[in-house]
Amino acid sequence: GSSLGLRTLLGQGYSFGFVNRDIPFVHQFSAGFQHELPWRLLIDASYSASRSRSLQSGKGINEISRQQLALGNDLLTQVPNPMAGRLPGSAFNGATVPRQQLLRPFPQFAGITQDRHTIGKSDYDSFQLRVEKRMSHGLHMLLSYTLSKSIEAVGYLNAQDDFGQLARVLTSVDTPHRAIISGAWALPFFKDGRGPARQILGGWQLTGIVSIQSGIPIGAPGGVFATGVNPRLPDEVRSRSRWFNTCTLALNGARQNCSSTSEPVVFTVQPPFTLRTLSTRFPNIRDLRPLGVDFSMFKQFALTERVNLQFRAESFNMTNTPWFPGPNLTAGGAAFGTVNPAQANDPRNVQLALRLQF
């Protein structure tokens, strides 16, 4: 078949992969120490970090410039179209087009995105603590705690930003505090008994995992400027109906989503043809990740010398504690700042199993 060459996708928008992209890589490093304490306790403390480079990023390259944005509403003025009749089937084939279309670097196309440009990066730093109670008297315990921070620069606030002017924000999975307590206990009861009591009541083992962690950072709304007032609400005031201070000043001067007439304004609506300055994620507002508990109990029955039957009862999210998604981020809307009570994690899951070993 024939090739359209430079006429390919005329009148349309498209994206293309950066041809000179590099392979992403990561440097990982850590340093720590271990020390054994009495009572079969082991403590392990370390600093662990990573530096990821050549991460993929995308950017629009067919946008009007910062200087041209100053034209304001004149960018929407219909002007004679020099491409009239030459781009059939497209939005740019009529007698007129908006002025902003002719000011694009490539006016014969809509949006063009250069994708997979490998200039992004992310940094991770953490302090990790592990305290282990080694097995004794049928009991084993493990505490793992991580204090960490992860930051990335893989996207732009505006298409008009210079290449490489990536916005540095917290990653979507940043959890400053995370603790996991796990353990196993071989119950000592009836282990020295005889007959049915030992066969049925003895030899049971319990295991459990308790997870405690910070929430992940929530996104920041688009289409608004920050006034400098901290949008974080005190814990005793914050609720699913209002997760952060949503008080916004509209372009006409009206106050929106304010809890009172005296509440300080946190956001002002961003006028058309201006650039975003607010980060894409709040640095100090997170969703809520309640405590999670998994529990299991099991016992092995000796049927013969070579055949064993194991019974297991397991419960995941035993307390049936829900996690909710982040709040609504549509500034000015009636639901702005509210959390939809739709469970984001799995509900309680109980399973029973028999396993025959021979």
Side-chain angles (χ1 to χ4, degrees), residues 57-76:
S57 178
K59 186 180 187 301
I61 64 169
N62 198 31
E63 308 296 328
I64 59 176
S65 68
R66 289 171 175 262
Q67 293 74 22
Q68 291 166 341
L69 282 174
L71 295 174
N73 288 327
D74 189 43
L75 292 168
L76 305 179

Side-chain angles (χ1 to χ4, degrees), residues 77-277:
T77 302
Q78 294 289 322
V79 296
N81 182 12
M83 302 175 289
R86 300 182 180 184
L87 303 175
S90 77
F92 315 130
N93 196 50
T96 61
V97 291
R99 186 185 303 278
Q100 66 179 359
Q101 182 60 35
L102 299 183
L103 295 178
R104 291 179 183 265
F106 308 99
Q108 69 272 34
F109 296 101
I112 301 176
T113 300
Q114 178 179 274
D115 199 14
R116 296 185 289 278
H117 194 193
T118 49
I119 59 174
K121 60 183 180 181
S122 70
D123 298 336
Y124 172 79
D125 294 277
S126 71
F127 165 73
Q128 300 180 6
L129 175 67
R130 185 171 70 93
V131 179
E132 181 179 4
K133 167 66 172 66
R134 294 180 172 178
M135 179 69 75
S136 63
H137 305 290
L139 179 65
H140 170 263
M141 296 288 292
L142 177 64
L143 165 65
S144 300
Y145 170 72
T146 302
L147 172 65
S148 66
K149 187 172 186 178
S150 57
I151 299 178
E152 66 182 4
V154 294
Y156 296 86
L157 290 182
N158 306 279
Q160 286 78 14
D161 294 342
D162 297 333
F163 268 110
Q165 190 182 343
L166 297 167
R168 187 173 171 85
V169 298
L170 295 174
T171 68
S172 62
V173 294
D174 178 70
T175 51
H177 302 280
R178 178 173 173 82
I180 298 179
I181 304 171
S182 61
W185 186 27
L187 299 181
F189 313 115
F190 300 101
K191 68 176 183 178
D192 297 326
R194 295 183 179 182
R198 179 179 181 181
Q199 185 71 5
I200 298 175
L201 301 178
W204 286 93
Q205 297 185 52
L206 309 179
T207 63
I209 301 175
V210 177
S211 302
I212 308 168
Q213 71 172 46
S214 306
I216 58 175
I218 68 171
V224 292
F225 292 137
T227 64
V229 175
N230 188 353
R232 180 182 172 88
L233 292 174
D235 292 343
E236 62 272 15
V237 176
R238 184 183 60 188
S239 67
R240 291 204 304 270
S241 61
R242 198 166 192 257
W243 200 250
F244 56 90
N245 187 337
T246 55
C247 193
T248 306
L249 190 67
L251 291 176
N252 61 4
R255 292 166 58 91
Q256 301 174 326
N257 302 110
C258 301
S259 63
S260 67
T261 57
S262 60
E263 184 175 43
V265 173
V266 175
F267 307 107
T268 59
V269 173
Q270 181 179 339
F273 310 110
T274 57
L275 297 176
R276 176 173 185 147
T277 58

Side-chain angles (χ1 to χ4, degrees), residues 289-353:
R289 297 296 171 97
L291 177 144
V293 179
D294 299 331
F295 177 79
S296 68
M297 57 187 301
F298 62 94
K299 174 179 169 53
Q300 192 157 284
F301 298 89
L303 302 182
T304 68
E305 290 184 1
R306 297 185 177 182
V307 180
N308 295 308
L309 180 66
Q310 186 183 78
F311 169 76
R312 300 187 68 92
E314 299 172 309
S315 176
F316 303 97
N317 189 11
M318 187 176 72
T319 57
N320 200 29
T321 305
W323 292 356
F324 296 123
N328 182 287
L329 299 176
T330 305
F336 186 36
T338 63
V339 175
N340 180 19
Q343 188 166 349
N345 63 328
D346 292 329
R348 180 192 295 122
N349 182 3
V350 178
Q351 60 185 32
L352 305 176

Side-chain angles (χ1 to χ4, degrees), residues 20-73:
N20 293 322
R21 59 183 178 270
D22 298 321
I23 298 176
F25 63 93
V26 59
H27 290 153
Q28 296 177 315
F29 46 94
S30 62
F33 69 90
Q34 291 182 344
H35 184 65
E36 188 167 359
L37 301 172
W39 307 293
R40 299 184 63 83
L41 284 175
L42 176 69
I43 184 170
D44 184 332
S46 64
Y47 165 73
S48 181
S50 67
R51 300 291 183 265
S52 301
R53 297 296 182 263
S54 296
L55 302 181
Q56 295 184 359
S57 178
K59 186 180 187 301
I61 64 169
N62 198 31
E63 308 296 328
I64 59 176
S65 68
R66 289 171 175 262
Q67 293 74 22
Q68 291 166 341
L69 282 174
L71 295 174
N73 288 327

